[in-house]
Amino acid sequence: MLKQIGLMFGALLLAACGGGGGGSKLPAVPSSQALSSSAGSSLLPASSSLMPLSSSSSSVSLSSSSSFPTSSTAFALGADLGWVTEMEDNNKKFYNAQSEQKDAFELTQSLGIDAIRLRVWVSPANKYNTIQDVVAKALRAKALGQRVMINFHYSDIWADPGKQFKPEAWSKYSFEELKTALATHTRNSLIALRDAGVEPEWVQVGNETNDGFLWDTARPSVEPKNANMKNYAELTTAGYDAVKEIFPTAKVIVHLSNCHDNANFRWIFDGLTANNAKFDVIGASSYPTRSATETNSTWQTITQNCLANLNDMVSRYQRPVVLAEIGVPWDHPEGKAIVADLISKARAVDGGKGLGVFYWEPLAYDWNGYSLGAFDLTGKPTTIMDAFSEAAASLPK
């Protein structure tokens, strides 16, 4: 993490539960752990059983709509490359299997990646993850024909299940002022992309919002429990409307971590649905090895429960789903098998409603202590990336 941010927030981030890959990204914090007690876990519903959902439990529908939002028929094989400009500025190089230095975006494309995910912070401590930085990266993706997902954190720093800090400039805002600020930030950021000639296919309104965002204004777990769910829903809708104003065809995603935890997904999406929140797609993070350790189970159980949950989301809320973040240790002996399994399960979602899979920061190697990239310590791809190239070869042309 950035030096300035580390000095300001290091102790707090270590105590918080880093969400999936889009969370704190601290080496000692599991990337997809559930909310810690400091994040209000005692106020959340109990986690779902590690047994897969039965077919009957995934057939409940809370939506009056029988149709799905229009979505691309092309299954996305994606990667989050939010760190790439910072890594390049710090003289990190990227190589193919033949040890030839390559451009980061061209290299990921050669490895089967056809979509790039990029995070936006409001006022970060330096130039990285500003909208200007995001536009520069998005243009590189566009030049190669890669699709783009934009991920709004609505924070000046990492947002994840354990921390959803308001941007400093918004910290004293009333609820109505927050709605206006969120919509304006979303709109202006997307206008910058539009003016640069980039049209995102997907836009996340929040990152791993297992307990809402913009705490505590839109944090549903605070007492009285669920009282702030309406605020969370209205702010989500404010983001949705801002996205559609600039890019009417972009698919708006609400994204939670811990794909295997059906109880948390139902709690959040029941609450959003009951409060008429607008969203097109349900996003999920899955970090099977870390989740297996946290739940004393196996990665196979985690991925099976993830699929069961995704099918439940499709049935219950009539929305397609996407694995917006996945990751495994770069040197895990079963790394390729785990990633291939997640890709396979996303493709197996009922009705073809799995839109794709995004690996969180595969290029990260020897970087900020993060060990769940997909490149080795020499900057070359591991066999994990073979899961993407092989999947790409098997997709319809």
Side-chain angles (χ1 to χ4, degrees):
M1 189 163 293
L2 304 177
K3 182 177 180 181
Q4 299 96 320
I5 296 173
L7 291 172
M8 294 172 61
F9 296 105
L12 181 56
L13 295 182
L14 284 168
C17 69
S24 61
K25 305 301 175 302
L26 294 169
V29 180
S31 284
S32 62
Q33 70 186 48
L35 289 166
S36 68
S37 59
S38 64
S41 62
S42 62
L43 298 174
L44 293 176
S47 294
S48 56
S49 165
L50 286 175
M51 293 299 291
L53 292 167
S54 67
S55 58
S56 61
S57 68
S58 60
S59 63
V60 178
S61 177
L62 298 181
S63 173
S64 60
S65 171
S66 60
S67 62
F68 288 83
T70 303
S71 60
S72 171
T73 57
F75 187 87
L77 293 170
D80 192 307
L81 299 188
W83 260 329
V84 70
T85 48
E86 186 181 0
M87 292 182 71
E88 290 171 339
D89 287 349
N90 282 272
N91 205 36
K92 286 292 183 182
K93 310 294 184 184
F94 308 101
Y95 303 91
N96 63 17
Q98 290 73 46
S99 300
E100 299 167 327
Q101 185 179 336
K102 296 292 183 181
D103 171 78
F105 288 79
E106 292 177 358
L107 181 54
T108 59
Q109 186 178 53
S110 73
L111 296 170
I113 299 299
D114 73 348
I116 301 299
R117 179 176 182 256
L118 302 168
R119 58 186 167 272
V120 183
W121 293 346
V122 178
S123 296
N126 57 30
K127 66 180 181 179
Y128 302 110
N129 305 311
T130 62
I131 189 57
Q132 293 81 7
D133 179 48
V134 170
V135 168
K137 289 177 283 196
L139 283 170
R140 293 169 68 178
K142 181 191 175 184
L144 296 173
Q146 293 174 311
R147 302 142 79 186
V148 174
M149 178 188 292
I150 297 299
N151 174 20
F152 286 102
H153 281 228
Y154 299 127
S155 182
D156 294 334
I157 193 173
W158 305 104
D160 62 38
K163 54 191 180 299
Q164 295 281 340
F165 303 135
K166 290 175 183 173
E168 179 61 29
W170 304 1
S171 61
K172 305 299 182 184
Y173 283 178
S174 68
F175 176 65
E176 290 302 321
E177 288 171 332
L178 273 178
K179 278 205 297 186
T180 298
L182 184 150
T184 300
H185 168 66
T186 303
R187 187 183 303 111
N188 289 345
S189 298
L190 296 179
I191 287 172
L193 284 161
R194 184 192 65 188
D195 290 351
V198 176
E199 181 174 0
E201 185 167 339
W202 316 268
V203 178
Q204 283 188 216
V205 288
N207 185 75
E208 294 187 329
T209 56
N210 295 48
D211 192 14
F213 53 20
L214 295 170
W215 286 352
D216 279 337
T217 301
R219 186 180 189 181
S221 71
V222 298
E223 296 293 353
K225 189 180 174 186
N226 292 325
N228 283 341
M229 189 70 82
K230 184 174 186 294
N231 288 353
Y232 175 35
E234 289 190 19
L235 286 161
T236 296
T237 295
Y240 177 98
D241 289 342
V243 173
K244 297 295 184 175
E245 181 180 340
I246 309 305
F247 294 113
T249 63
K251 301 300 175 287
V252 177
I253 301 171
V254 172
H255 167 223
L256 309 187
S257 72
N258 296 331
C259 181
H260 58 280
D261 188 354
N262 180 248
N264 188 234
F265 275 73
R266 283 196 175 195
W267 175 57
I268 287 294
F269 287 104
D270 280 3
L272 290 178
T273 303
N275 286 282
N276 302 309
K278 297 179 185 177
F279 59 97
D280 300 321
V281 178
I282 292 173
S285 299
S286 184
Y287 293 80
T289 57
R290 288 188 168 180
S291 295
T293 298
E294 293 153 14
T295 58
N296 194 30
S297 60
T298 65
W299 69 258
Q300 291 91 342
T301 299
I302 295 297
T303 63
Q304 184 58 44
N305 282 326
C306 177
L307 175 57
N309 182 45
L310 295 177
N311 282 332
D312 187 47
M313 296 298 100
V314 166
S315 174
R316 190 173 181 87
Y317 307 107
Q318 298 292 289
R319 302 293 201 282
V321 294
V322 62
L323 282 176
E325 293 185 21
I326 67 167
V328 296
W330 69 269
D331 56 351
H332 195 286
E334 295 181 283
K336 177 186 173 182
I338 296 169
V339 171
D341 185 61
L342 284 169
I343 294 172
S344 176
K345 283 182 166 51
R347 293 176 67 179
V349 170
D350 291 343
K353 296 303 178 182
L355 303 185
V357 174
F358 288 74
Y359 199 99
W360 201 88
E361 297 280 3
L363 295 179
Y365 73 94
D366 190 26
W367 185 250
N368 290 342
Y370 188 68
S371 63
L372 275 72
F375 276 49
D376 66 22
L377 297 180
T378 69
K380 293 190 293 187
T382 68
T383 58
I384 291 169
M385 295 306 300
D386 292 344
F388 283 93
S389 57
E390 290 171 12
S394 71
L395 290 172
K397 302 301 184 212

